[in-house]
Amino acid sequence: MASPAVAMRRPSPTVLASAPRRRPRRHEYSPSNMGSPSSASRLKVTALFGWIKGDRYSRTRELIPSAESYTLTGSASEVDTKPREVSISVVSSIMDIPPAEWDACAVDSVEPEKFNPFLTHAFLSSLEESGSAVKETGWLPLHVVARDENENILGVIPLYLKSHSRGEFVFDQSWAEAYHSYGLEYYPKLQSCVPFTPVTGQRILLRNTSYRDQVFDALVKALKNLATKLNVSSLHITFPSEGEFSKLKDSGLLQRIGLQYHWTNRNYKCFDDFLMDLKQPKRKNIRQERKKIPAQNLKMKRLRGDEIKSSHWDTFYKFYRNTTDNHWGRAYLTREFFHLLGEKMGDKVMLIVAEHDDKVVAGALNLIGGDTLYGRLWGCLPDAHFPNLHFEACYYQAIEAAIELNLSKVEAGAQGEHKIQRGYLPVTTYSCHYFLEPGFATAIGNFLVHETAQLKSTPTCFGLKALLL
């Protein structure tokens, strides 16, 4: 019988539509009865999240399966077409992979405009070193690595074993509730993503070779095999690129779409050029909002690289905690993360700050990509009540910076229909999901079909329907 807390949950009727009608007893869904690996795997997994205490690294090593080998046939365009042996393994920390090797897969040297700072070794290692994305916070790193016969790294996947669904921005809590109501465990699960960061980008990171498509296929197979070996409920790949989204469907992963609001640079020379592209009411509103900033004796500054001092990061952490502690958020990131980020990423970091009477009272954190400015976090002092400062720091300053840096886009994070009034337009985001329990795979697949149809037909999507059709 479920605990009172579980019994009071109300799973989505749509999710459960295809699930078994009779509520089974827990023992009927044991791993052995479902044809999965023995319960020993599940015990090892759950032990890592606090049920059994012990050394973090030794217990992680117990969990990691042995490497698997895959044969690649080689490209017809190559002189040497002999089969290639590719070994795919798992590491318990990104620090086990040399930064240059990781970045050779993550950073596309052929198309530098596609540079995504969140996929770099510097960003992801900052999350781990700072204690932000680690086992103790429910993010156990299990990164996947593909190597050739000479131990050269051909591909990597940022992957985490998770004991909850926080910090993902693709919401699956109703799926977890449905699992619990039928006596199944949804957690732990496997998650390929950039922790706490709803930014679209490659998730299966490949070195530029003529046989990279085959390495991609081998890595996807390895992901699914790993989910089976660990006896988890599911595998989730969130905010992948559009190309990956299409390929992963062919590998049997369920597909889900979402919505964000991005700003596009149409070769503007200045902020006024952008305003002239808007209808008069929006243009007037933005100008009025911006005028209120100097009228309140606020001065805006955009700091990069060495201009950002240690004191700035300490102050910004206070802003961050004020936001998470007082606005129903959660402090995923530690103070050390911000210091490491500044040290490792240099002028790829832009901190927009607002000063009042020579005191920094608010700030917005941004990262600079190949063709995109990524707005990430915002915060202010508890007693900083300045109308329109949030819009100025997060949206208008970002647009100005993108124009000055000749960047194509501004991505200002998840959600927020109010961004439409400030020149940001809807774009589609993606996620892919793989479930080991067939009945729930069918039920959730039906739910996603219904959800997608609803999203396409919603008038408030302001153009999303056209983007999807």
Side-chain angles (χ1 to χ4, degrees):
M1 180 176 178
S3 67
V6 171
M8 292 177 64
R9 294 189 178 106
R10 294 293 182 267
S12 166
T14 311
V15 172
L16 295 176
S18 303
R21 295 293 181 183
R22 178 178 62 86
R23 180 183 175 90
R25 294 184 297 275
R26 283 188 180 272
H27 72 270
E28 292 181 313
Y29 280 90
S30 67
S32 58
N33 288 342
M34 296 199 313
S36 300
S38 72
S39 59
S41 297
R42 178 62 64 123
L43 289 174
K44 284 184 181 179
V45 171
T46 55
L48 288 165
F49 290 109
W51 281 271
I52 301 174
K53 303 297 183 181
D55 176 71
R56 165 184 172 186
Y57 295 102
S58 64
R59 290 196 173 275
T60 301
R61 284 194 294 270
E62 289 177 16
L63 180 69
I64 294 175
S66 58
E68 295 182 341
S69 293
Y70 295 82
T71 300
L72 307 184
T73 59
S75 169
S77 63
E78 295 177 274
V79 175
D80 181 8
T81 58
K82 69 178 181 181
R84 299 171 181 273
E85 286 293 323
V86 173
S87 174
I88 298 180
S89 58
V90 175
V91 298
S92 60
S93 171
I94 195 172
M95 274 78 84
D96 293 338
I97 305 172
E101 292 289 305
W102 181 280
D103 289 342
C105 301
V107 179
D108 193 330
S109 59
V110 179
E111 298 180 90
E113 70 277 4
K114 292 186 178 180
F115 170 71
N116 187 323
F118 299 98
L119 298 173
T120 62
H121 193 281
F123 185 86
L124 294 170
S125 64
S126 295
L127 289 172
E128 291 187 28
E129 286 186 60
S130 66
S132 300
V134 291
K135 181 263 292 183
E136 289 80 3
T137 62
W139 291 81
L140 177 67
L142 291 178
H143 306 307
V144 180
V145 187
R147 294 181 173 89
D148 66 13
E149 57 268 32
N150 297 316
E151 291 297 308
N152 298 310
I153 293 180
L154 302 177
V156 292
I157 303 174
L159 184 70
Y160 302 86
L161 186 68
K162 294 216 52 206
S163 61
H164 53 73
S165 291
R166 297 188 292 273
E168 298 169 9
F169 301 94
V170 175
F171 303 108
D172 63 350
Q173 285 85 348
S174 65
W175 303 349
E177 290 174 352
Y179 264 68
H180 282 298
S181 71
Y182 278 85
L184 291 169
E185 294 181 2
Y186 190 70
Y187 305 108
K189 62 177 184 175
L190 286 174
Q191 187 85 24
S192 176
C193 66
V194 179
F196 325 120
T197 309
V199 167
T200 294
Q202 299 293 124
R203 293 296 176 261
I204 299 175
L205 311 177
L206 303 170
R207 193 183 288 266
N208 187 25
T209 65
S210 58
Y211 45 91
R212 61 188 298 168
D213 287 344
Q214 295 181 66
V215 179
F216 179 97
D217 293 340
L219 282 166
V220 173
K221 290 178 183 177
L223 278 177
K224 295 167 71 174
N225 288 343
L226 181 62
T228 300
K229 287 182 177 181
L230 295 181
N231 193 28
V232 296
S233 69
S234 50
L235 162 69
H236 307 266
I237 302 175
T238 46
F239 297 99
S241 66
E242 185 176 4
E244 288 176 319
F245 183 68
S246 299
K247 288 183 180 181
L248 289 167
K249 181 179 181 180
D250 296 335
S251 298
L253 276 73
L254 300 177
Q255 297 190 296
R256 193 178 196 183
I257 57 172
L259 179 66
Q260 286 185 355
Y261 300 90
H262 299 172
W263 177 85
T264 300
N265 186 355
R266 296 182 174 86
N267 297 315
Y268 302 123
K269 302 301 181 186
C270 63
F271 193 86
D272 278 343
D273 282 354
F274 153 63
L275 289 180
M276 295 309 296
D277 255 3
L278 303 178
K279 292 183 178 180
Q280 197 275 338
K282 287 185 181 179
R283 185 163 61 242
K284 179 181 179 182
N285 178 66
I286 291 174
R287 283 176 171 159
Q288 288 177 338
E289 288 181 343
R290 301 206 76 184
K291 285 180 180 178
K292 292 180 181 179
I293 301 306
Q296 297 175 90
N297 196 28
L298 288 166
K299 181 185 294 185
M300 307 301 301
K301 292 183 178 179
R302 295 197 287 269
L303 308 176
R304 289 183 65 183
D306 292 341
E307 296 175 323
I308 307 173
K309 308 301 181 184
S310 179
S311 59
H312 287 114
W313 289 125
D314 288 336
T315 300
F316 186 77
Y317 183 71
K318 294 178 183 177
F319 299 161
Y320 170 68
R321 289 305 302 262
N322 180 48
T323 299
T324 58
D325 295 349
N326 297 302
H327 298 279
W328 304 102
R330 185 180 292 268
Y332 299 123
L333 303 170
T334 65
R335 182 191 302 270
E336 186 183 4
F337 166 77
F338 296 102
H339 288 274
L340 286 170
L341 184 72
E343 292 172 12
K344 293 188 176 192
M345 303 210 68
D347 64 0
K348 297 300 181 185
V349 179
M350 175 182 289
L351 188 61
I352 297 172
V353 298
E355 293 183 352
H356 184 261
D357 294 334
D358 296 324
K359 178 182 180 181
V360 177
V361 296
L365 175 62
N366 301 261
L367 266 66
I368 300 172
D371 67 352
T372 304
L373 182 70
Y374 299 93
R376 291 297 88 211
L377 301 169
W378 144 268
C380 62
L381 292 177
D383 57 349
H385 303 294
F386 298 99
N388 300 305
L389 178 54
H390 173 263
F391 299 143
E392 176 67 27
C394 296
Y395 306 143
Y396 305 144
Q397 286 289 322
I399 289 172
E400 276 194 338
I403 293 172
E404 290 179 9
L405 296 170
N406 197 30
L407 299 176
S408 301
K409 295 180 295 181
V410 175
E411 293 191 19
Q415 306 173 348
E417 290 187 13
H418 60 278
K419 296 172 186 173
I420 294 174
Q421 300 303 316
R422 292 162 181 88
Y424 291 71
L425 296 177
V427 299
T428 310
T429 59
Y430 309 98
S431 62
C432 299
H433 310 270
Y434 176 71
F435 297 88
L436 276 69
E437 205 289 312
F440 273 86
T442 300
I444 293 172
N446 292 337
F447 164 77
L448 292 177
V449 170
H450 178 73
E451 182 187 62
T452 299
Q454 279 191 320
L455 188 57
K456 288 182 178 180
S457 62
T458 302
T460 56
C461 282
F462 192 76
L464 179 61
K465 182 176 180 181
L467 289 170
L468 295 174
L469 296 178

